[in-house]
Amino acid sequence: AQSVAQPEDQVNVAEGNPLTVKCTYSVSGNPYLFWYVQYPNRGLQFLLKYITGDNLVKGSYGFEAEFNKSQTSFHLKKPSALVSDSALYFCAVKGGWYGGSQGNLIFGKGTKLSVKP
Amino acid sequence: DSGVTQTPKHLITATGQRVTLRCSPRSGDLSVYWYQQSLDQGLQFLIQYYNGEERAKGNILERFSAQQFPDLHSELNLSSLELGDSALYFCASSPDPGSVYEQYFGPGTRLTVT
């Protein structure tokens, strides 16, 4: 079965420092990986995805993610954090076409990012 | 703004009642997904429709049902509500269920069962 894990419940970073939010995955077949961000009392916003190709994926708001097949990881990164980046971040994998699921997202538990001035 | 709309934003109701949540997908998207977000269960997939037909079911209770109409909007019906059904319910849409497509989420409906 497809699954993702976000090992950190919370990540604290000082403004201007680089940030990393970790995600590991377990899939059968090719992984289709996504990052979403959720601000308080808002819906999920799509940040970026990995489908195939270049292992470094660039997304919205200066975020990027590195796909590492050997480590089954898809960590979210940003070179310089902003206070406004403080939010809940979700890693997700597509359900694929296995076990009857067709395209739904399977989410990690989420990581709360706190960026302090 | 994702282009996905959900109504109502908030819903407060009593145990045993029935409610209907409504979702309109982005223009051109044929696939609609429903998710439930709660503190203890996290974000869980409930059900998926594609062009009016049910495509996949996740952890959806038998008390819950959904449908997608010819104009592609979708409704999620929750009946015999229990306190544990209190959660944020999200609708998402994509052009089709294909793996290359990301899903765009609506703002959610916050359901409180008292």
Side-chain angles (χ1 to χ4, degrees):
Chain A
Q2 327 283 64
S3 66
V4 293
Q6 294 181 243
E8 302 155 318
D9 289 337
Q10 180 153 346
V11 170
N12 299 311
V13 178
E15 188 174 32
N17 283 1
L19 69 87
T20 299
V21 183
K22 295 180 181 177
C23 171
T24 59
Y25 65 88
S26 174
V27 302
S28 303
N30 294 325
Y32 301 107
L33 298 159
F34 302 79
W35 276 101
Y36 284 82
V37 61
Q38 184 179 26
Y39 296 98
N41 300 313
R42 302 278 294 276
L44 279 74
Q45 294 180 32
F46 169 72
L47 282 178
L48 50 78
K49 65 182 176 183
Y50 173 82
I51 303 299
T52 186
D54 195 350
N55 289 344
L56 186 63
V57 179
K58 293 192 183 296
S60 306
Y61 313 120
F63 284 94
E64 56 190 28
E66 187 170 9
F67 172 70
N68 188 316
K69 189 172 183 178
S70 62
Q71 296 186 4
T72 62
S73 67
F74 188 55
H75 299 334
L76 181 70
K77 302 183 179 187
K78 188 173 182 181
S80 178
L82 300 171
V83 172
S84 57
D85 292 330
S86 299
L88 191 55
Y89 289 81
F90 290 95
C91 181
V93 64
K94 269 293 182 80
W97 297 82
Y98 303 95
S101 59
Q102 298 185 17
N104 60 286
L105 291 169
I106 298 167
F107 287 92
K109 290 185 177 181
T111 298
K112 183 178 179 181
L113 174 66
S114 178
V115 182
K116 300 293 186 188
Chain B
D1 185 4
S2 67
V4 178
T5 61
Q6 288 187 250
T7 57
K9 289 187 82 171
H10 302 277
L11 203 47
I12 301 174
T13 189
T15 54
Q17 295 299 304
R18 172 190 169 95
V19 297
T20 298
L21 282 53
R22 183 188 168 105
C23 166
S24 292
R26 289 189 320 160
S27 177
D29 285 356
L30 300 180
S31 204
V32 169
Y33 311 78
W34 286 97
Y35 294 87
Q36 180 194 59
Q37 185 179 31
S38 61
L39 280 174
D40 51 347
Q41 298 289 332
L43 263 166
Q44 294 216 1
F45 166 67
L46 295 178
I47 197 164
Q48 176 198 349
Y49 281 83
Y50 174 65
N51 205 19
E53 294 188 5
E54 181 184 304
R55 270 299 182 96
K57 269 186 173 180
N59 299 320
I60 188 166
L61 300 171
E62 286 192 12
R63 300 183 285 108
F64 296 0
S65 65
Q67 54 184 325
Q68 186 180 28
F69 295 86
D71 67 352
L72 302 177
H73 91 271
S74 178
E75 292 180 357
L76 179 66
N77 300 297
L78 315 176
S79 61
S80 302
L81 285 167
E82 302 175 0
L83 295 177
D85 298 327
S86 296
L88 255 176
Y89 291 85
F90 288 111
C91 167
S93 74
S94 67
D96 70 35
S99 295
V100 300
Y101 293 109
E102 62 270 25
Q103 294 171 21
Y104 287 88
F105 284 73
T109 293
R110 183 174 292 280
L111 173 66
T112 302
V113 182
T114 62

